[in-house]
Amino acid sequence: MRSSKSLKKQWQRAEVKPGDTVLEDARPNDIIILVMGPPGVGKSTFINTAAGKSLTKVGHGLESCTVAMQHAIFPYPYNPSRRIVFVDTPGFDDTYQDDAEILRRIAVWLARSYNDDVKLSGIIYLHDISQPRVVGGASRKNFDMMEKLCGADASQNVILATTKWGNVKADVAARREHQLREYWKEMIDQGCELTRFTGSRESAWDIVDSTTRKPLLESLQIQNELVDLGRYIPETAAGNTLRASLKELVAAHKKTIIELRNTKENSDDVQLRLKDNEDRIRTLLDQIQTLQVPASRRILGFIGVR
C-alpha cells in the first residue's frame, strides 16, 4: 500500500469528484478485466454473455448505456473462490458525456486502483466489425485513447476483439479484419492478440481465458504518469492525445462554418447547420479548456521543476 502522502497527492492530480466509482472490496485473487471500446460496440453484451446473466444494461444501435465506470462481478467458473471483475468503461464520443469527463473518470478509477495495489489481469478492447469506417471517427479516437492510457508495455495484456459478426457479410467482415490487423500491427507485434467475439458464451470465455493466462499488469502508462510521476491528467499522454483530437474537431467545424457562410443559399436548414456547428465548437472549446495544463505547471516544467 502506498503512503497516505502519495495517496493525497494522487487525489489532487486525478481531480476526484463526488460519485466517482471505485472497486471497494477488491480481493488479492480477483481477475480484474478492463473492457473498453466505442459507444455501442457491445461492451455490455460481451459482459452479460460471459457472465451468463444480465449484469449490465444493453444499449441499442450506437447509443451507449455506460456513462460511468461500472463493475460486473461474478464467481470464476473454474474456481468459485475467485471472482471475475469486469470494469465496464464509457466510450469516447458518447452521446451523454464530454470526452474530457470520460477521460477523467477512467483516469480516476485507474489511479485510485493503482494506489490500492489493485492489479489488472488484462484489457479487452472491442471493435464493431460491421462499421464501414474501419479506422475512422469514434473507432480511431477510442483506439488511440486506449493505446495512450495503457502504454506499449501493457500490449501483451491487451486483447483486441471484433464484435457484431452477424451484422455483416462474412467476406466483407474478413476484409475489414485484415485491414484492422494492418492498422493495429504495432500493438500486435508488441504482443497483443486479435480475436473475434462471435456472440456465444464460448467465444466470450475464449477471450476471458486468454487474459487469465497472462502475468498481472504491474501498471498502465497513465497510472505511472498520475501516481508515480505526479502529473495532472492534461499532462498525460492520453490527455495530450485527446486535446489534439478535440482541436482537430474544432478546425473541422470552423471549416464547415466558412463553407456554409460562403454558400448563396440562406435557407432555414443552412442556418440550423450554422448554429449546430457553432454550438459544437463552444462545447469542444470548453473541453479543451478543461484539458489545459495550469500555467503554474507550465512554468515549473519550463525551468525543470515538478
Side-chain angles (χ1 to χ4, degrees):
M1 190 73 64
R2 290 173 176 80
S3 69
S4 59
K5 181 179 179 181
S6 172
L7 195 64
K8 183 177 179 181
K9 183 179 182 182
Q10 170 51 29
W11 289 171
Q12 297 167 353
R13 299 295 180 260
E15 304 173 26
V16 176
K17 295 181 181 179
D20 281 335
T21 307
V22 64
L23 185 58
E24 298 282 2
D25 61 341
R27 303 173 186 174
N29 64 349
D30 279 342
I31 299 168
I32 303 174
I33 301 169
L34 207 64
V35 183
M36 306 186 74
V41 73
K43 295 188 289 289
S44 297
T45 296
F46 173 82
I47 291 169
N48 292 340
T49 302
K53 57 184 176 182
S54 181
L55 295 177
T56 60
K57 185 179 178 183
V58 177
H60 301 282
L62 295 178
E63 291 186 3
S64 171
C65 279
T66 307
V67 295
M69 306 291 285
Q70 300 182 46
H71 303 126
I73 304 173
F74 59 97
Y76 182 41
Y78 307 127
N79 183 353
S81 67
R82 304 185 69 188
R83 304 186 306 175
I84 292 285
V85 181
F86 283 122
V87 185
D88 190 4
T89 65
F92 295 91
D93 269 358
D94 188 86
T95 310
Y96 306 105
Q97 290 290 339
D98 291 342
D99 285 339
E101 173 62 12
I102 290 169
L103 173 58
R104 189 197 66 79
R105 291 184 180 188
I106 295 173
V108 165
W109 191 95
L110 289 169
R112 293 177 73 170
S113 299
Y114 187 46
N115 260 317
D116 291 339
D117 290 329
V118 173
K119 291 182 172 60
L120 295 174
S121 295
I123 300 97
I124 297 174
Y125 178 85
L126 301 179
H127 175 89
D128 183 353
I129 200 70
S130 72
Q131 290 299 304
R133 294 186 66 187
V134 173
V135 296
S139 296
R140 175 192 165 193
K141 178 185 286 185
N142 277 271
F143 179 80
D144 289 348
M145 292 303 296
M146 181 275 294
E147 194 175 26
K148 297 303 181 184
L149 285 162
C150 296
D153 291 344
S155 293
Q156 64 179 348
N157 288 75
V158 175
I159 297 176
L160 306 171
T162 48
T163 66
K164 303 190 180 182
W165 280 80
N167 295 356
V168 65
K169 292 181 179 179
D171 60 329
V172 174
R175 184 166 62 251
R176 291 175 184 168
E177 184 182 49
H178 176 74
Q179 293 173 326
L180 286 170
R181 190 177 294 276
E182 290 300 311
Y183 179 65
W184 290 338
K185 185 177 185 302
E186 184 175 353
M187 280 197 71
I188 292 172
D189 288 347
Q190 291 168 347
C192 90
E193 298 179 33
L194 174 59
T195 187
R196 302 177 182 181
F197 170 53
T198 60
S200 69
R201 194 175 189 202
E202 180 182 8
S203 171
W205 272 100
D206 284 343
I207 296 168
V208 173
D209 285 341
S210 291
T211 68
T212 65
R213 292 192 291 267
K214 301 175 185 295
L216 292 177
L217 273 164
E218 290 299 321
S219 63
L220 300 183
Q221 177 168 304
I222 196 164
Q223 292 174 321
N224 289 140
E225 291 173 312
L226 293 174
V227 180
D228 297 330
L229 300 179
R231 293 177 180 170
Y232 287 96
I233 291 174
E235 296 175 299
T236 65
N240 287 324
T241 296
L242 181 55
R243 186 167 54 248
S245 173
L246 295 174
K247 287 180 177 179
E248 286 181 8
L249 286 174
V250 168
H253 285 300
K254 285 182 176 178
K255 181 179 178 182
T256 300
I257 287 174
I258 291 171
E259 291 171 350
L260 288 170
R261 286 176 176 168
N262 288 338
T263 184
K264 295 180 180 180
E265 186 181 353
N266 191 29
S267 64
D268 289 342
D269 178 63
V270 169
Q271 294 304 312
L272 285 172
R273 290 173 62 194
L274 273 171
K275 184 178 184 306
D276 179 62
N277 278 274
E278 290 167 353
D279 289 344
R280 289 175 183 268
I281 286 175
R282 280 191 287 271
T283 299
L284 290 166
L285 289 176
D286 286 344
Q287 292 186 66
I288 291 170
Q289 183 61 38
T290 300
L291 290 167
Q292 293 296 339
V293 179
S296 60
R297 296 285 288 181
R298 293 198 300 270
I299 293 170
L300 289 174
F302 180 75
I303 62 176
V305 178
R306 285 289 182 184

mmCIF file of all heavy atoms in Angstrom, residues 27-33 73-85 119-121 205 208-209 211-216:
data_model
loop_
_atom_site.group_PDB
_atom_site.id
_atom_site.type_symbol
_atom_site.label_atom_id
_atom_site.label_comp_id
_atom_site.label_asym_id
_atom_site.label_seq_id
_atom_site.Cartn_x
_atom_site.Cartn_y
_atom_site.Cartn_z
ATOM 1 N N ARG A 27 -10.224 -8.101 -3.979
ATOM 2 C CA ARG A 27 -9.545 -9.211 -3.312
ATOM 3 C C ARG A 27 -8.256 -9.542 -4.056
ATOM 4 O O ARG A 27 -8.179 -9.369 -5.272
ATOM 5 C CB ARG A 27 -10.463 -10.435 -3.275
ATOM 6 C CG ARG A 27 -11.805 -10.177 -2.591
ATOM 7 C CD ARG A 27 -12.734 -11.362 -2.741
ATOM 8 N NE ARG A 27 -14.072 -11.083 -2.219
ATOM 9 C CZ ARG A 27 -15.089 -11.919 -2.344
ATOM 10 N NH1 ARG A 27 -14.923 -13.086 -2.975
ATOM 11 N NH2 ARG A 27 -16.285 -11.595 -1.861
ATOM 12 N N PRO A 28 -7.263 -10.056 -3.348
ATOM 13 C CA PRO A 28 -5.967 -10.321 -3.985
ATOM 14 C C PRO A 28 -6.048 -11.288 -5.168
ATOM 15 O O PRO A 28 -5.252 -11.189 -6.091
ATOM 16 C CB PRO A 28 -5.128 -10.921 -2.841
ATOM 17 C CG PRO A 28 -5.756 -10.394 -1.600
ATOM 18 C CD PRO A 28 -7.222 -10.297 -1.893
ATOM 19 N N ASN A 29 -7.017 -12.227 -5.140
ATOM 20 C CA ASN A 29 -7.081 -13.207 -6.225
ATOM 21 C C ASN A 29 -8.162 -12.884 -7.253
ATOM 22 O O ASN A 29 -8.529 -13.726 -8.064
ATOM 23 C CB ASN A 29 -7.302 -14.617 -5.666
ATOM 24 C CG ASN A 29 -8.647 -14.762 -4.964
ATOM 25 O OD1 ASN A 29 -9.335 -13.772 -4.716
ATOM 26 N ND2 ASN A 29 -9.006 -15.995 -4.642
ATOM 27 N N ASP A 30 -8.688 -11.647 -7.247
ATOM 28 C CA ASP A 30 -9.655 -11.238 -8.265
ATOM 29 C C ASP A 30 -9.019 -11.227 -9.648
ATOM 30 O O ASP A 30 -7.842 -10.873 -9.801
ATOM 31 C CB ASP A 30 -10.189 -9.830 -7.966
ATOM 32 C CG ASP A 30 -11.283 -9.810 -6.915
ATOM 33 O OD1 ASP A 30 -11.884 -10.870 -6.652
ATOM 34 O OD2 ASP A 30 -11.529 -8.718 -6.356
ATOM 35 N N ILE A 31 -9.811 -11.589 -10.640
ATOM 36 C CA ILE A 31 -9.402 -11.464 -12.043
ATOM 37 C C ILE A 31 -10.095 -10.215 -12.576
ATOM 38 O O ILE A 31 -11.290 -10.234 -12.887
ATOM 39 C CB ILE A 31 -9.801 -12.709 -12.847
ATOM 40 C CG1 ILE A 31 -9.115 -13.955 -12.263
ATOM 41 C CG2 ILE A 31 -9.441 -12.541 -14.325
ATOM 42 C CD1 ILE A 31 -9.668 -15.269 -12.800
ATOM 43 N N ILE A 32 -9.365 -9.117 -12.639
ATOM 44 C CA ILE A 32 -9.945 -7.815 -12.966
ATOM 45 C C ILE A 32 -9.611 -7.465 -14.416
ATOM 46 O O ILE A 32 -8.443 -7.401 -14.799
ATOM 47 C CB ILE A 32 -9.430 -6.730 -12.012
ATOM 48 C CG1 ILE A 32 -9.741 -7.130 -10.565
ATOM 49 C CG2 ILE A 32 -10.062 -5.379 -12.342
ATOM 50 C CD1 ILE A 32 -9.144 -6.205 -9.533
ATOM 51 N N ILE A 33 -10.661 -7.249 -15.198
ATOM 52 C CA ILE A 33 -10.504 -7.032 -16.641
ATOM 53 C C ILE A 33 -11.185 -5.727 -17.031
ATOM 54 O O ILE A 33 -12.377 -5.529 -16.780
ATOM 55 C CB ILE A 33 -11.116 -8.193 -17.440
ATOM 56 C CG1 ILE A 33 -10.448 -9.520 -17.048
ATOM 57 C CG2 ILE A 33 -10.970 -7.946 -18.939
ATOM 58 C CD1 ILE A 33 -11.159 -10.750 -17.586
ATOM 59 N N ILE A 73 -19.514 -8.233 -11.344
ATOM 60 C CA ILE A 73 -18.740 -9.203 -10.561
ATOM 61 C C ILE A 73 -19.516 -10.516 -10.455
ATOM 62 O O ILE A 73 -20.710 -10.518 -10.162
ATOM 63 C CB ILE A 73 -18.460 -8.652 -9.148
ATOM 64 C CG1 ILE A 73 -17.751 -7.286 -9.244
ATOM 65 C CG2 ILE A 73 -17.635 -9.634 -8.324
ATOM 66 C CD1 ILE A 73 -17.589 -6.581 -7.912
ATOM 67 N N PHE A 74 -18.817 -11.631 -10.703
ATOM 68 C CA PHE A 74 -19.436 -12.955 -10.557
ATOM 69 C C PHE A 74 -18.343 -13.995 -10.325
ATOM 70 O O PHE A 74 -17.156 -13.747 -10.621
ATOM 71 C CB PHE A 74 -20.282 -13.301 -11.787
ATOM 72 C CG PHE A 74 -19.531 -13.318 -13.096
ATOM 73 C CD1 PHE A 74 -19.055 -14.507 -13.632
ATOM 74 C CD2 PHE A 74 -19.313 -12.138 -13.793
ATOM 75 C CE1 PHE A 74 -18.367 -14.521 -14.833
ATOM 76 C CE2 PHE A 74 -18.621 -12.142 -14.999
ATOM 77 C CZ PHE A 74 -18.153 -13.349 -15.524
ATOM 78 N N PRO A 75 -18.682 -15.173 -9.785
ATOM 79 C CA PRO A 75 -17.671 -16.187 -9.478
ATOM 80 C C PRO A 75 -16.965 -16.692 -10.740
ATOM 81 O O PRO A 75 -17.586 -16.837 -11.793
ATOM 82 C CB PRO A 75 -18.477 -17.318 -8.819
ATOM 83 C CG PRO A 75 -19.733 -16.680 -8.350
ATOM 84 C CD PRO A 75 -20.025 -15.587 -9.326
ATOM 85 N N TYR A 76 -15.681 -16.956 -10.605
ATOM 86 C CA TYR A 76 -14.903 -17.538 -11.698
ATOM 87 C C TYR A 76 -15.305 -19.009 -11.829
ATOM 88 O O TYR A 76 -15.124 -19.782 -10.890
ATOM 89 C CB TYR A 76 -13.418 -17.402 -11.365
ATOM 90 C CG TYR A 76 -12.463 -17.910 -12.423
ATOM 91 C CD1 TYR A 76 -12.696 -17.687 -13.773
ATOM 92 C CD2 TYR A 76 -11.300 -18.589 -12.050
ATOM 93 C CE1 TYR A 76 -11.806 -18.130 -14.727
ATOM 94 C CE2 TYR A 76 -10.390 -19.033 -13.002
ATOM 95 C CZ TYR A 76 -10.656 -18.802 -14.333
ATOM 96 O OH TYR A 76 -9.773 -19.247 -15.282
ATOM 97 N N PRO A 77 -15.887 -19.424 -12.949
ATOM 98 C CA PRO A 77 -16.450 -20.778 -13.060
ATOM 99 C C PRO A 77 -15.467 -21.902 -12.758
ATOM 100 O O PRO A 77 -15.861 -22.934 -12.212
ATOM 101 C CB PRO A 77 -16.919 -20.840 -14.517
ATOM 102 C CG PRO A 77 -17.142 -19.415 -14.904
ATOM 103 C CD PRO A 77 -16.108 -18.632 -14.169
ATOM 104 N N TYR A 78 -14.194 -21.697 -13.090
ATOM 105 C CA TYR A 78 -13.211 -22.754 -12.885
ATOM 106 C C TYR A 78 -12.687 -22.799 -11.455
ATOM 107 O O TYR A 78 -11.997 -23.729 -11.064
ATOM 108 C CB TYR A 78 -12.038 -22.583 -13.857
ATOM 109 C CG TYR A 78 -12.471 -22.480 -15.300
ATOM 110 C CD1 TYR A 78 -12.054 -21.426 -16.100
ATOM 111 C CD2 TYR A 78 -13.316 -23.439 -15.857
ATOM 112 C CE1 TYR A 78 -12.452 -21.321 -17.424
ATOM 113 C CE2 TYR A 78 -13.719 -23.335 -17.186
ATOM 114 C CZ TYR A 78 -13.281 -22.273 -17.954
ATOM 115 O OH TYR A 78 -13.698 -22.176 -19.262
ATOM 116 N N ASN A 79 -12.989 -21.761 -10.674
ATOM 117 C CA ASN A 79 -12.540 -21.692 -9.284
ATOM 118 C C ASN A 79 -13.441 -20.709 -8.547
ATOM 119 O O ASN A 79 -13.149 -19.512 -8.471
ATOM 120 C CB ASN A 79 -11.074 -21.245 -9.212
ATOM 121 C CG ASN A 79 -10.540 -21.232 -7.792
ATOM 122 O OD1 ASN A 79 -11.293 -21.432 -6.836
ATOM 123 N ND2 ASN A 79 -9.245 -20.988 -7.632
ATOM 124 N N PRO A 80 -14.563 -21.202 -7.977
ATOM 125 C CA PRO A 80 -15.551 -20.311 -7.347
ATOM 126 C C PRO A 80 -15.020 -19.471 -6.193
ATOM 127 O O PRO A 80 -15.682 -18.518 -5.772
ATOM 128 C CB PRO A 80 -16.621 -21.298 -6.850
ATOM 129 C CG PRO A 80 -16.456 -22.505 -7.712
ATOM 130 C CD PRO A 80 -14.987 -22.597 -7.992
ATOM 131 N N SER A 81 -13.828 -19.803 -5.686
ATOM 132 C CA SER A 81 -13.262 -18.976 -4.621
ATOM 133 C C SER A 81 -12.686 -17.664 -5.178
ATOM 134 O O SER A 81 -12.364 -16.755 -4.411
ATOM 135 C CB SER A 81 -12.161 -19.734 -3.877
ATOM 136 O OG SER A 81 -11.039 -19.949 -4.714
ATOM 137 N N ARG A 82 -12.569 -17.595 -6.486
ATOM 138 C CA ARG A 82 -12.086 -16.378 -7.136
ATOM 139 C C ARG A 82 -13.255 -15.667 -7.821
ATOM 140 O O ARG A 82 -14.313 -16.251 -8.044
ATOM 141 C CB ARG A 82 -11.004 -16.700 -8.183
ATOM 142 C CG ARG A 82 -9.824 -17.462 -7.630
ATOM 143 C CD ARG A 82 -8.752 -17.631 -8.690
ATOM 144 N NE ARG A 82 -8.120 -16.355 -9.016
ATOM 145 C CZ ARG A 82 -7.245 -16.207 -10.027
ATOM 146 N NH1 ARG A 82 -6.949 -17.231 -10.810
ATOM 147 N NH2 ARG A 82 -6.693 -15.031 -10.255
ATOM 148 N N ARG A 83 -13.036 -14.391 -8.166
ATOM 149 C CA ARG A 83 -14.080 -13.619 -8.826
ATOM 150 C C ARG A 83 -13.571 -13.037 -10.146
ATOM 151 O O ARG A 83 -12.401 -12.655 -10.257
ATOM 152 C CB ARG A 83 -14.560 -12.462 -7.944
ATOM 153 C CG ARG A 83 -15.047 -12.841 -6.570
ATOM 154 C CD ARG A 83 -15.623 -11.636 -5.841
ATOM 155 N NE ARG A 83 -14.689 -10.508 -5.793
ATOM 156 C CZ ARG A 83 -14.988 -9.310 -5.296
ATOM 157 N NH1 ARG A 83 -16.200 -9.076 -4.814
ATOM 158 N NH2 ARG A 83 -14.089 -8.335 -5.267
ATOM 159 N N ILE A 84 -14.467 -12.990 -11.121
ATOM 160 C CA ILE A 84 -14.224 -12.196 -12.314
ATOM 161 C C ILE A 84 -14.805 -10.811 -12.033
ATOM 162 O O ILE A 84 -15.953 -10.674 -11.599
ATOM 163 C CB ILE A 84 -14.912 -12.791 -13.550
ATOM 164 C CG1 ILE A 84 -14.267 -14.127 -13.935
ATOM 165 C CG2 ILE A 84 -14.860 -11.805 -14.721
ATOM 166 C CD1 ILE A 84 -12.912 -14.002 -14.598
ATOM 167 N N VAL A 85 -14.023 -9.780 -12.263
ATOM 168 C CA VAL A 85 -14.495 -8.406 -12.118
ATOM 169 C C VAL A 85 -14.300 -7.692 -13.451
ATOM 170 O O VAL A 85 -13.177 -7.362 -13.838
ATOM 171 C CB VAL A 85 -13.739 -7.644 -11.004
ATOM 172 C CG1 VAL A 85 -14.286 -6.223 -10.877
ATOM 173 C CG2 VAL A 85 -13.845 -8.377 -9.673
ATOM 174 N N LYS A 119 -4.300 -4.808 -9.193
ATOM 175 C CA LYS A 119 -3.642 -5.075 -10.469
ATOM 176 C C LYS A 119 -4.643 -5.677 -11.470
ATOM 177 O O LYS A 119 -5.447 -6.540 -11.134
ATOM 178 C CB LYS A 119 -2.457 -6.018 -10.286
ATOM 179 C CG LYS A 119 -1.294 -5.391 -9.523
ATOM 180 C CD LYS A 119 -0.130 -6.367 -9.416
ATOM 181 C CE LYS A 119 1.112 -5.690 -8.840
ATOM 182 N NZ LYS A 119 0.893 -5.142 -7.505
ATOM 183 N N LEU A 120 -4.557 -5.204 -12.702
ATOM 184 C CA LEU A 120 -5.421 -5.713 -13.759
ATOM 185 C C LEU A 120 -4.860 -7.011 -14.333
ATOM 186 O O LEU A 120 -3.637 -7.188 -14.440
ATOM 187 C CB LEU A 120 -5.536 -4.697 -14.888
ATOM 188 C CG LEU A 120 -6.211 -3.354 -14.579
ATOM 189 C CD1 LEU A 120 -6.092 -2.428 -15.781
ATOM 190 C CD2 LEU A 120 -7.668 -3.561 -14.216
ATOM 191 N N SER A 121 -5.772 -7.907 -14.713
ATOM 192 C CA SER A 121 -5.369 -9.112 -15.442
ATOM 193 C C SER A 121 -5.221 -8.813 -16.930
ATOM 194 O O SER A 121 -4.391 -9.416 -17.606
ATOM 195 C CB SER A 121 -6.399 -10.229 -15.243
ATOM 196 O OG SER A 121 -6.430 -10.635 -13.891
ATOM 197 N N TRP A 205 -15.724 -16.624 -23.423
ATOM 198 C CA TRP A 205 -14.809 -17.225 -22.464
ATOM 199 C C TRP A 205 -13.445 -17.554 -23.060
ATOM 200 O O TRP A 205 -12.438 -17.578 -22.351
ATOM 201 C CB TRP A 205 -15.450 -18.450 -21.812
ATOM 202 C CG TRP A 205 -16.213 -18.008 -20.622
ATOM 203 C CD1 TRP A 205 -17.547 -17.800 -20.517
ATOM 204 C CD2 TRP A 205 -15.640 -17.606 -19.370
ATOM 205 N NE1 TRP A 205 -17.862 -17.302 -19.282
ATOM 206 C CE2 TRP A 205 -16.716 -17.175 -18.559
ATOM 207 C CE3 TRP A 205 -14.355 -17.570 -18.858
ATOM 208 C CZ2 TRP A 205 -16.537 -16.719 -17.255
ATOM 209 C CZ3 TRP A 205 -14.168 -17.111 -17.568
ATOM 210 C CH2 TRP A 205 -15.242 -16.697 -16.779
ATOM 211 N N VAL A 208 -11.837 -14.268 -22.372
ATOM 212 C CA VAL A 208 -11.553 -14.090 -20.940
ATOM 213 C C VAL A 208 -10.405 -15.001 -20.509
ATOM 214 O O VAL A 208 -9.498 -14.578 -19.779
ATOM 215 C CB VAL A 208 -12.810 -14.377 -20.095
ATOM 216 C CG1 VAL A 208 -12.469 -14.354 -18.605
ATOM 217 C CG2 VAL A 208 -13.900 -13.359 -20.405
ATOM 218 N N ASP A 209 -10.436 -16.250 -20.947
ATOM 219 C CA ASP A 209 -9.375 -17.196 -20.578
ATOM 220 C C ASP A 209 -8.004 -16.718 -21.026
ATOM 221 O O ASP A 209 -6.991 -16.977 -20.362
ATOM 222 C CB ASP A 209 -9.670 -18.575 -21.162
ATOM 223 C CG ASP A 209 -10.781 -19.302 -20.418
ATOM 224 O OD1 ASP A 209 -11.070 -18.914 -19.276
ATOM 225 O OD2 ASP A 209 -11.358 -20.243 -20.990
ATOM 226 N N THR A 211 -6.930 -13.745 -20.990
ATOM 227 C CA THR A 211 -6.410 -12.777 -20.020
ATOM 228 C C THR A 211 -5.886 -13.473 -18.770
ATOM 229 O O THR A 211 -4.942 -12.991 -18.134
ATOM 230 C CB THR A 211 -7.488 -11.750 -19.604
ATOM 231 O OG1 THR A 211 -8.504 -12.403 -18.842
ATOM 232 C CG2 THR A 211 -8.112 -11.081 -20.816
ATOM 233 N N THR A 212 -6.488 -14.605 -18.402
ATOM 234 C CA THR A 212 -6.078 -15.297 -17.167
ATOM 235 C C THR A 212 -4.748 -16.014 -17.333
ATOM 236 O O THR A 212 -4.121 -16.381 -16.336
ATOM 237 C CB THR A 212 -7.150 -16.313 -16.735
ATOM 238 O OG1 THR A 212 -7.259 -17.353 -17.714
ATOM 239 C CG2 THR A 212 -8.501 -15.641 -16.561
ATOM 240 N N ARG A 213 -4.322 -16.233 -18.563
ATOM 241 C CA ARG A 213 -3.051 -16.931 -18.804
ATOM 242 C C ARG A 213 -1.852 -15.984 -18.835
ATOM 243 O O ARG A 213 -0.721 -16.418 -19.008
ATOM 244 C CB ARG A 213 -3.130 -17.721 -20.119
ATOM 245 C CG ARG A 213 -4.098 -18.894 -20.080
ATOM 246 C CD ARG A 213 -3.922 -19.791 -21.282
ATOM 247 N NE ARG A 213 -4.344 -19.145 -22.511
ATOM 248 C CZ ARG A 213 -5.569 -19.253 -23.040
ATOM 249 N NH1 ARG A 213 -6.493 -19.969 -22.424
ATOM 250 N NH2 ARG A 213 -5.866 -18.641 -24.166
ATOM 251 N N LYS A 214 -2.100 -14.699 -18.673
ATOM 252 C CA LYS A 214 -1.032 -13.709 -18.754
ATOM 253 C C LYS A 214 -0.636 -13.228 -17.354
ATOM 254 O O LYS A 214 -1.448 -13.258 -16.429
ATOM 255 C CB LYS A 214 -1.490 -12.515 -19.608
ATOM 256 C CG LYS A 214 -1.895 -12.894 -21.034
ATOM 257 C CD LYS A 214 -2.445 -11.702 -21.780
ATOM 258 C CE LYS A 214 -2.966 -12.098 -23.158
ATOM 259 N NZ LYS A 214 -1.904 -12.571 -24.048
ATOM 260 N N PRO A 215 0.598 -12.769 -17.191
ATOM 261 C CA PRO A 215 1.003 -12.207 -15.891
ATOM 262 C C PRO A 215 0.177 -10.957 -15.581
ATOM 263 O O PRO A 215 -0.250 -10.248 -16.494
ATOM 264 C CB PRO A 215 2.480 -11.843 -16.102
ATOM 265 C CG PRO A 215 2.908 -12.573 -17.330
ATOM 266 C CD PRO A 215 1.697 -12.735 -18.172
ATOM 267 N N LEU A 216 -0.055 -10.699 -14.304
ATOM 268 C CA LEU A 216 -0.781 -9.499 -13.917
ATOM 269 C C LEU A 216 -0.029 -8.247 -14.366
ATOM 270 O O LEU A 216 1.207 -8.227 -14.407
ATOM 271 C CB LEU A 216 -0.980 -9.456 -12.396
ATOM 272 C CG LEU A 216 -1.921 -10.494 -11.788
ATOM 273 C CD1 LEU A 216 -1.920 -10.346 -10.273
ATOM 274 C CD2 LEU A 216 -3.332 -10.350 -12.331
#
